[in-house]
Amino acid sequence: MLRTLRGYLFRAGVGGERLDEAVNELWQEVVLEALRHENRFQPGALPRPWLLGIASNLIKRHWQETQRRERREPLVNDLKPDLELDEDDLFDWLAGTSATREEVLADTDVTPLLKYLSATDQQIIRLALWYDLDGNAIARELDINPGTARVRLHRALRQLRQVVLTARDYHGN
């Protein structure tokens, strides 16, 4: 049974040193799931196919959950995790900029941070940070594909991070 589970996981992309640990975790989950749903087991049926079906469903659920997590909006930490600037620092820094919300939204005063970004990146950052829109809402607002909106948001946040880090280095913060 464990050899079969190993094959399932290997085909699902689990490999290396993690494989043995994953096989044991999967087996434990299969047993727990089987115990939770013991009333579904048909008397006279073979247990092995039933348990392998449970294992297959658990692997599929895990894969779907992983795919769902990967579709989330990019975080600042996703862009460059080796930098010391985290999500809270970036938003605190933005909150301390001189322009009021009304000035930014009316485009009468561009914050010192945003003036170093392209017009497209400025627009994306305003929509994401000041209007609090996610990738899908930005896509609707700009009449573009949601995937394109997420890529642009990712790129704009990366550029914003670089500007913030450059400003910190320049001002010695």
Side-chain angles (χ1 to χ4, degrees):
M1 180 65 115
L2 293 179
R3 265 193 314 231
T4 304
L5 294 179
R6 176 185 292 276
Y8 280 14
L9 288 172
F10 185 76
R11 280 181 291 217
V14 179
E17 297 173 9
R18 171 91 173 98
L19 185 58
D20 289 333
E21 181 183 332
V23 168
N24 289 329
E25 288 175 15
L26 178 60
W27 176 241
Q28 290 173 9
E29 288 180 42
V30 166
V31 170
L32 288 174
E33 194 74 13
L35 290 173
R36 274 190 225 124
H37 301 288
E38 65 182 305
N39 58 332
R40 294 184 184 171
F41 182 72
Q42 300 296 323
L46 296 173
R48 183 178 171 88
W50 185 63
L51 292 172
L52 291 175
I54 291 172
S56 177
N57 288 335
L58 288 172
I59 292 169
K60 184 169 51 171
R61 268 190 246 153
H62 176 73
W63 181 82
Q64 289 170 340
E65 176 65 23
T66 301
Q67 294 300 313
R68 188 187 61 75
R69 273 196 312 265
E70 288 177 0
R71 283 192 305 263
R72 71 172 164 66
E73 297 301 319
L75 303 174
V76 173
N77 291 337
D78 293 340
L79 304 179
K80 208 155 190 190
D82 55 319
L83 296 177
E84 295 178 14
L85 183 65
D86 66 11
E87 201 87 20
D88 293 332
D89 289 342
L90 176 64
F91 289 112
D92 288 346
W93 194 88
L94 285 170
T97 58
S98 62
T100 65
R101 177 182 172 93
E102 290 74 25
E103 289 171 329
V104 171
L105 298 180
D107 286 330
T108 58
D109 181 28
V110 178
T111 64
L113 172 71
L114 294 179
K115 73 180 179 183
Y116 295 105
L117 300 176
S118 70
T120 303
D121 288 349
Q122 288 179 30
Q123 183 182 32
I124 294 288
I125 293 296
R126 283 189 185 105
L127 290 171
L129 300 180
W130 276 273
Y131 288 114
D132 197 29
L133 300 182
D134 65 4
N136 291 331
I138 290 171
R140 284 190 300 277
E141 183 69 27
L142 298 178
D143 195 29
I144 59 176
N145 182 303
T148 303
R150 284 190 286 277
V151 167
R152 288 183 184 177
L153 177 59
H154 180 83
R155 187 190 67 225
L157 286 171
R158 185 179 63 236
Q159 293 297 331
L160 180 63
R161 173 178 273 198
Q162 285 305 117
V163 169
V164 169
L165 290 174
T166 303
R168 281 185 171 184
D169 289 344
Y170 181 75
H171 294 296
N173 292 336

